[in-house]
Amino acid sequence: MGNTDTKLHFRKAVIQLTTKTQPVEATDDLFWDQFWVDASTTAQDVFALVPAAEIRAVREESPSNLATLCYKAVERLVQGSDSGCPSERERQIVLNCTRLLTRILPYIFEDADWRGFFWSTVPGAGRAGRLDEDGGDDEARPLAESLLLAVADLLFCPDFTVQSHKKSSADTAEAVRSIDSCEYIWEAGVGFAQSPPLNYIHDVNRTELLKLLLTCFSEAMYLPPSSESKNLNPWVAFFCSTDNRHALPLFTSLLNVVCAYDPVGYGIPYNHLLFSDYREQLVEQAVQILIVTLEHEAGSATRAALQALDTTTSPAAEEEQEPIGPDNLFVNYLSRIHREEDLSFILKGLARLLNNPLVQTYLPRSNKKIQFHQELLILFWKFCDFNKKFLFFVLKSSDVLDMLVPILFYLNDARADQSRVGLIHIGVFILLLLSGERNFGVRLNKPYTLRVPMDIPVFTGTHADLLIVIFHKIITSGHQRLQPLFDCLLTVIVNISPYLKSLSMVAANKLLHLLEAFSTPWFLFSSPHNHHLVFFLLEVFNNIIQYQFDGNCNLVYAIIRKRNIFHQLANLLSDTVSIQRALQRKKKAGISRTNSTENESMEGSRPAVPAEPGTLKASLEATPGIDKITEKSQVSEDGTMVTVPNSDSPQARQQTTDDSAAAGASDTESNSERDHEVGHTESEAARSRLSSVSSTVTWSANPDWVLSWKAKLPLQTIMRLLQVLVPQVEKICIDKGLTDESEILKFLQHGTLVGLLPIPHPILIRKYQANAGTAMWFRTYMWGVIYLRNVDPPIWYDTDIRLFEIQRI
């Protein structure tokens, strides 16, 4: 009964707030306390008892009441952080204020006039602010700063969010203020050895405070997409600055909690059905806070680099400036992690969590399956992008395959589901980043022996075979919105191709099937960019023939069997009549079923299914074309990478006349010409947003355009191989009456083309290059994931989000 009464009081207070025409004085504690003294209100209650319409009504009609409510709630949080919340009542007040602010903040952000409210100083709020040791500089601290500092303090509050080290019942306020939070890091791992005992009350309290923190940072959702790096999130910038004395222990706590989490626990079957796992909720909030705070703007890093290079400063000053790094302390700490055991802890933790949904047990659904794999992929991406030591550590051993297999699993699983198009993008971006390093290609030669439940053909081969088979599946049976990713997928295969020692017959046939599909005249002529896909595939074949011929008899055999594809490409008709005839035969279904000769046996569990009706999805920004997100590097003889100059420059165009085809292969046609075909904006937006195969309305194929790229098709190496080997294979078949593949493969295995092929072309790797376009894509994707994952309570539901659109499928 009492429970109902207190909720009634709370509801009455909300109604009073909306109906009072006169502003309520800030000193009227009796009125304001109604909002947070109740001991039984949960977060769900606050969301139910404070409806959106009423928050907006107060905002429009009684703005001073809303301002006072926010100010008073922050004031109570500051008081709680100062006192250390020694009593249960004070802890309850802190939690209630936390829930109330989490409810209200999105409605502050959605109104442009209110957005600056938390960054203004409230008269007389100095007492609520934090006083520094040296006195009253803090008089004018903005409300946002007071709020963020109070939350940071509360996250290391003994007996509230961390285990107290003292035997006495309560620490004094002085002790709380001078606490060394590095001794209270939440979990063992990076920079901390002791693992504090699990305490679910502490986990719940941390989760609520982190939810408020995430809501503070979500102001970014209410601003339209803009790739300008000037748009720093002021909440994140302050929280990750030196003003926050808990920045290091908090970063370490969040990271260690995520990487140490083991959802399987003690391995008791069905344990997740028997009791609630509060640690999972904390881990989910922690990983979301991490990816938001690690959104690094290029500006500060560039500034630090320029400072370090400034020749006017003395050498001593230079030494001081160089290690400063980014202004964002979280990015700074992440980029400086270097100890082997720390890097191993992070990699193993992320791999364990990403592999969790793949774990199969004999008892159906007996293992807990985590749902926050998209956030983990973003975190892994940020680690690889910001910390090169981590990237090299990942690629140093075959541990990278523990990341590769789950990424390929998610790609395959999501390929036909329109609501998960962002997941496909992040997976492909990660593989593009990794494929820029030689070690990645080398590691892929390890045999693939796991049997993860995937609907792919049975094959015996390596991890490279697995990657090619799944990429083929995405291209041929994914939905049409994935077409802008085709050249990204093929770029990954091009990057790894010089290192692939032996492709299986299944993977070899998949590559030839892609070439067959992409080289049909109607497909080549229906978009100004489709021929690039053929160039990529020819470059793959050239790399393998020139650098890995010995072990790749399966691919050579597949090329010989499908030699008519190459002859047709070489003899492609380019007159106007032929172009028109080809376009009239264009299939409506896209390339996915073109010449499909697939009847391999299938294994695994479920094929990917379209999204369920009613599924929500967040819209995404367009991804820039492959030429905008990669830069070319040539592998020199000693294995080092040399950046290739832009193809506009004369030295890039200057190629030896003897080997023009190989040069074309390595360049996959200069991007400068591609940019002349359609303007920059058209090229990016059209290729990214259009769902159909035809790319632009204004463009149409003509004989000059076809001849311009047909002359550069890098077919020389393959034609030479066919010229030498086809007569030999035919002779063996006739002489021995062979019809058995294995005998022909045995012959090809021991064959050689030394001295018969053109001079090997230099290996070209297209390395991922950070740019404003992908930074904007990541921001919209990340916040879209966070919006859709926070449904209990639904923090941002039905507010005026501007960063992306929420669509129902």
Side-chain angles (χ1 to χ4, degrees):
M1 185 67 197
N3 187 9
T4 315
D5 281 349
T6 49
K7 283 183 188 169
L8 203 59
H9 288 313
F10 182 83
R11 181 73 193 117
K12 274 183 184 165
V14 175
I15 293 166
Q16 280 178 305
L17 195 67
T18 53
T19 51
K20 281 192 186 233
T21 48
Q22 295 300 313
V24 184
E25 288 299 319
T27 49
D28 186 355
D29 284 339
L30 202 62
F31 174 77
W32 296 113
D33 282 352
Q34 296 175 92
F35 289 99
W36 34 76
V37 292
D38 175 18
S40 60
T41 330
T42 63
Q44 283 72 19
D45 290 338
V46 170
F47 273 71
L49 297 171
V50 188
E54 291 182 19
I55 302 173
R56 288 192 178 111
V58 178
R59 189 183 69 195
E60 304 307 323
E61 290 152 33
S62 315
S64 63
N65 283 349
L66 181 59
T68 309
L69 179 65
C70 292
Y71 162 61
K72 294 294 284 184
V74 173
E75 184 182 51
R76 294 313 292 258
L77 285 182
V78 172
Q79 286 170 4
S81 67
D82 278 346
S83 67
C85 301
S87 69
E88 189 55 49
R89 182 174 179 274
E90 283 179 80
R91 289 173 203 157
Q92 194 58 51
I93 288 173
V94 163
L95 287 174
N96 285 341
C97 289
T98 299
R99 292 160 187 160
L100 194 63
L101 285 167
T102 303
R103 178 61 174 150
I104 293 170
L105 272 167
Y107 299 91
I108 300 275
F109 294 150
E110 74 174 5
D111 188 321
D113 296 335
W114 273 87
R115 228 167 272 144
F117 166 71
F118 270 83
W119 293 98
S120 58
T121 50
V122 181
R127 301 302 97 209
R130 192 59 37 79
L131 284 173
D132 292 334
E133 289 75 17
D134 57 351
D137 283 347
D138 233 16
E139 283 293 336
R141 192 182 276 295
L143 206 54
E145 294 184 6
S146 299
L147 170 57
L148 291 171
L149 293 176
V151 171
D153 277 348
L154 287 164
L155 286 166
F156 293 100
C157 185
D159 292 325
F160 179 52
T161 50
V162 290
Q163 202 79 30
S164 174
H165 292 176
K166 298 198 173 175
K167 296 286 179 279
S168 62
S169 57
D171 295 332
T172 62
E174 288 306 312
V176 169
R177 204 165 297 154
S178 60
I179 197 170
D180 178 6
S181 45
C182 285
E183 294 175 12
Y184 289 90
I185 287 170
W186 301 347
E187 187 58 76
V190 176
F192 195 67
Q194 302 105 289
S195 192
L198 279 180
N199 182 320
Y200 89 94
I201 299 280
H202 293 171
D203 278 359
V204 170
N205 294 343
R206 291 165 180 170
T207 304
E208 297 234 32
L209 287 164
L210 290 180
K211 227 180 255 296
L212 171 57
L213 210 47
L214 195 61
T215 311
C216 290
F217 296 157
S218 71
E219 184 182 281
M221 282 198 217
Y222 297 90
L223 302 171
S226 158
S227 53
E228 287 182 36
S229 58
K230 291 196 289 285
N231 285 355
L232 273 173
N233 185 328
W235 296 83
V236 172
F238 179 79
F239 191 75
C240 299
S241 71
T242 47
D243 286 291
N244 180 3
R245 70 188 182 95
H246 301 295
L248 177 59
L250 195 53
F251 171 76
T252 313
S253 294
L254 295 169
L255 182 60
N256 291 353
V257 155
V258 172
C259 295
Y261 177 56
D262 184 359
V264 177
Y266 298 107
I268 306 164
Y270 303 106
N271 61 350
H272 60 288
L273 302 178
L274 304 176
F275 53 82
S276 190
D277 180 2
Y278 291 98
R279 182 51 56 123
E280 183 186 16
Q281 297 164 24
L282 174 64
V283 171
E284 195 171 313
Q285 291 296 319
V287 72
Q288 289 175 2
I289 292 284
L290 275 175
I291 61 177
V292 169
T293 49
L294 291 170
E295 194 187 0
H296 175 43
E297 301 295 351
S300 52
T302 312
R303 192 159 57 251
L306 289 173
Q307 280 177 353
L309 295 170
D310 189 357
T311 49
T312 57
T313 51
S314 65
E318 264 185 60
E319 280 175 32
E320 283 172 26
Q321 285 173 348
E322 197 173 8
I324 291 173
D327 303 337
N328 179 324
L329 289 180
F330 278 35
V331 174
N332 204 332
Y333 298 144
L334 182 150
S335 63
R336 283 163 38 192
I337 296 172
H338 62 278
R339 295 192 320 163
E340 291 263 320
E341 55 266 44
D342 289 343
L343 299 172
S344 173
F345 166 74
I346 294 163
L347 178 58
K348 282 190 166 55
L350 293 177
R352 182 195 317 114
L353 291 172
L354 283 170
N355 278 286
N356 162 263
L358 284 64
V359 175
Q360 295 200 105
T361 53
Y362 290 108
L363 299 169
R365 289 190 287 282
S366 63
N367 265 359
K368 186 187 186 82
K369 303 279 191 233
I370 60 155
Q371 302 296 322
F372 51 91
H373 47 272
Q374 297 192 82
E375 295 96 314
L376 290 166
L377 288 173
I378 299 172
L379 185 61
F380 178 69
W381 165 270
K382 288 181 184 290
F383 262 98
C384 290
D385 200 21
F386 294 154
N387 189 325
K388 291 307 166 208
K389 287 192 179 75
F390 178 77
L391 179 60
F392 295 137
F393 178 82
V394 168
L395 296 168
K396 194 173 73 173
S397 69
S398 51
D399 286 351
V400 66
L401 303 177
D402 294 337
M403 299 299 295
L404 173 76
V405 172
I407 289 172
L408 291 175
F409 170 84
Y410 294 126
L411 289 181
N412 182 60
D413 192 48
R415 72 180 188 276
D417 183 345
Q418 293 218 25
S419 67
R420 292 195 285 168
V421 66
L423 172 59
I424 303 249
H425 276 74
I426 177 84
V428 173
F429 281 150
I430 289 172
L431 297 180
L432 179 64
L433 181 73
L434 294 175
S435 73
E437 307 297 331
R438 175 185 177 275
N439 267 0
F440 182 64
V442 173
R443 300 286 163 242
L444 289 177
N445 288 307
K446 186 175 179 182
Y448 172 68
T449 51
L450 288 168
R451 280 289 166 258
V452 171
M454 286 192 267
D455 55 321
I456 55 171
V458 180
F459 71 92
T460 304
T462 64
H463 284 76
D465 294 314
L466 177 69
L467 181 141
I468 289 168
V469 165
I470 286 176
F471 278 17
H472 173 271
K473 198 102 185 159
I474 293 168
I475 291 170
T476 58
S477 63
H479 56 80
Q480 285 198 316
R481 288 189 62 211
L482 298 179
Q483 290 209 359
L485 279 179
F486 286 3
D487 46 10
C488 238
L489 292 164
L490 295 186
T491 299
V492 173
I493 300 178
V494 172
N495 282 348
I496 63 174
S497 59
Y499 314 110
L500 304 183
K501 293 186 182 304
S502 120
L503 283 184
S504 69
M505 189 60 87
V506 170
N509 284 333
K510 297 294 181 200
L511 288 176
L512 266 299
H513 177 250
L514 286 180
L515 183 67
E516 191 174 9
F518 289 145
S519 62
T520 51
W522 74 262
F523 182 73
L524 286 172
F525 300 154
S526 58
S527 155
H529 309 290
N530 284 350
H531 64 280
H532 289 283
L533 302 171
V534 170
F535 275 84
F536 282 131
L537 284 163
L538 292 177
E539 189 174 347
V540 170
F541 297 140
N542 287 335
N543 279 342
I544 294 176
I545 292 165
Q546 290 280 21
Y547 292 99
Q548 298 291 349
F549 178 80
D550 288 352
N552 274 295
C553 57
N554 288 326
L555 182 68
V556 173
Y557 177 63
I559 288 172
I560 290 171
R561 273 187 59 221
K562 293 280 189 180
R563 56 190 178 276
N564 62 314
I565 302 173
F566 302 98
H567 292 305
Q568 282 165 12
L569 259 178
N571 300 315
L572 184 70
L573 295 171
S574 57
D575 58 282
T576 310
V577 176
S578 301
I579 291 172
Q580 291 308 317
R581 197 175 295 141
L583 288 171
Q584 280 161 10
R585 283 204 299 268
K586 177 176 173 177
K587 311 256 196 314
K588 285 180 185 171
I591 68 135
S592 53
R593 304 288 174 265
T594 306
N595 299 328
S596 184
T597 52
E598 301 206 292
N599 53 2
E600 297 98 334
S601 59
M602 306 290 271
E603 73 153 356
S605 56
R606 52 220 157 107
V609 290
E612 291 175 27
T615 306
L616 292 178
K617 81 179 174 69
S619 64
L620 286 165
E621 280 300 284
T623 49
I626 193 72
D627 49 320
K628 306 288 188 303
I629 62 173
T630 55
E631 67 173 11
K632 293 181 188 149
S633 296
Q634 196 168 298
V635 181
S636 54
E637 286 180 20
D638 60 356
T640 54
M641 298 264 194
V642 183
T643 305
V644 176
N646 189 347
S647 41
D648 281 333
S649 61
Q651 62 265 46
R653 289 186 182 158
Q654 188 60 49
Q655 303 281 6
T656 53
T657 47
D658 302 341
D659 198 19
S660 57
S666 60
D667 202 9
T668 306
E669 199 188 342
S670 72
N671 292 320
S672 60
E673 278 156 24
R674 171 181 180 154
D675 285 341
H676 290 317
E677 287 161 19
V678 285
H680 282 277
T681 50
E682 197 175 39
S683 127
E684 285 184 23
R687 297 178 65 255
S688 304
R689 291 184 188 279
L690 285 179
S691 57
S692 63
V693 172
S694 59
S695 179
T696 58
V697 182
T698 53
W699 176 90
S700 65
N702 61 65
D704 289 344
W705 169 76
V706 176
L707 287 170
S708 72
W709 55 260
K710 184 186 161 187
K712 294 179 193 157
L713 281 170
L715 288 164
Q716 233 128 319
T717 301
I718 295 167
M719 290 307 197
R720 186 80 185 111
L721 174 142
L722 293 173
Q723 193 185 346
V724 173
L725 292 181
V726 169
Q728 294 181 11
V729 170
E730 285 177 344
K731 186 173 187 303
I732 291 174
C733 291
I734 292 163
D735 289 355
K736 297 190 177 177
L738 283 184
T739 52
D740 185 15
E741 273 185 7
S742 58
E743 289 294 323
I744 301 167
L745 286 170
K746 206 174 289 178
F747 162 73
L748 291 173
Q749 216 167 351
H750 298 106
T752 179
L753 292 175
V754 174
L756 298 171
L757 293 178
I759 302 159
H761 55 274
I763 296 174
L764 262 195
I765 303 294
R766 290 166 185 80
K767 290 171 82 80
Y768 169 78
Q769 189 63 24
N771 63 85
T774 47
M776 193 60 243
W777 184 90
F778 270 101
R779 186 177 307 148
T780 53
Y781 172 58
M782 172 181 77
W783 280 111
V785 169
I786 289 171
Y787 176 99
L788 294 171
R789 299 273 303 118
N790 283 275
V791 289
D792 184 25
I795 299 176
W796 300 282
Y797 181 71
D798 227 9
T799 59
D800 187 17
I801 302 288
R802 299 188 64 198
L803 183 65
F804 47 82
E805 289 171 24
I806 294 296
Q807 301 149 347
R808 236 171 237 289
I809 295 180

